[in-house]
Amino acid sequence: MSRLIRIEIDDSAAPPATPEMEQERRVAIFDLIEENSFAIPGRDGQSSPEGPFVLELCIREGRLVFDVQQETGDKVAEFHLSLGPFRQVVKDYFQICQSYFDAVRRLPPAQIEAIDMARRGIHNEGARTLQERLEGKADLDVYTARRLFTLICALIPQA
């Protein structure tokens, strides 16, 4: 399976990130570049485009856009996904993250661990939603989907 070698985020339409979310984004990008599994399946009898790939994520006209290019800059694919399926899980994720960040500052480790387990569960739900939405467009493992979900959270405006 191919991989991502660079991730670019166009967050010009997103609200400013909190320091905690900015740190999560930096970690997600670092972790993605270190280890990921991302491939574009072949279509209409053609073979799969070869990676490695560069991915740009952004919100355009109210849709989540994955712009995939080869290392040379040649466009491989562009997917536009509705934000609807992501809104509730992103909202839940932000709420639990805020609880987690608050807990880290003032609660004992046992309570922090319980909140972190809930946070990981919601994060996994977001990763599954992403994998479902990309089915037939891109093949990615759970690890890659989790990190990409973190980056998507940074792009979706909070209501």
Side-chain angles (χ1 to χ4, degrees):
M1 186 171 271
S2 215
R3 63 185 315 273
L4 298 168
I5 56 165
R6 192 169 77 235
I7 294 131
E8 299 172 358
I9 308 292
D10 178 357
D11 61 357
S12 57
T18 65
E20 294 91 353
M21 289 309 293
E22 188 60 40
Q23 175 63 18
E24 288 222 1
R25 178 163 55 173
R26 281 192 296 270
V27 169
I29 289 173
F30 178 83
D31 288 349
L32 267 168
I33 298 305
E34 287 295 307
E35 180 182 346
N36 69 77
S37 177
F38 186 93
I40 305 296
R43 294 192 180 155
D44 302 323
Q46 295 183 346
S47 61
S48 300
E50 291 192 28
F53 300 112
V54 174
L55 172 65
E56 180 183 355
L57 289 173
C58 67
I59 303 287
R60 240 187 264 145
E61 298 176 5
R63 298 179 69 75
L64 176 61
V65 178
F66 283 69
D67 185 347
V68 184
Q69 300 175 13
Q70 291 177 318
E71 195 173 12
T72 59
D74 295 332
K75 187 179 259 317
V76 172
E78 186 172 290
F79 324 125
H80 295 245
L81 305 178
S82 170
L83 292 174
F86 294 100
R87 287 208 190 276
Q88 187 61 51
V89 71
V90 168
K91 181 179 178 183
D92 293 346
Y93 183 67
F94 271 108
Q95 287 175 341
I96 197 75
C97 281
Q98 189 57 54
S99 296
Y100 175 77
F101 297 140
D102 292 344
V104 166
R105 292 184 188 106
R106 60 183 175 77
L107 294 177
Q111 288 175 301
I112 294 169
E113 190 174 314
I115 293 169
D116 192 42
M117 285 177 56
R119 182 175 78 131
R120 284 189 301 241
I122 293 170
H123 204 175
N124 288 338
E125 181 183 341
R128 280 190 300 274
T129 300
L130 179 59
Q131 285 180 304
E132 290 168 6
R133 302 293 298 142
L134 288 175
E135 192 170 327
K137 298 174 178 75
D139 297 325
L140 55 155
D141 63 4
V142 172
Y143 177 88
T144 303
R146 282 179 52 84
R147 298 302 180 258
L148 287 173
F149 176 72
T150 299
L151 299 178
I152 290 166
C153 287
L155 291 172
I156 296 179
Q158 296 305 294

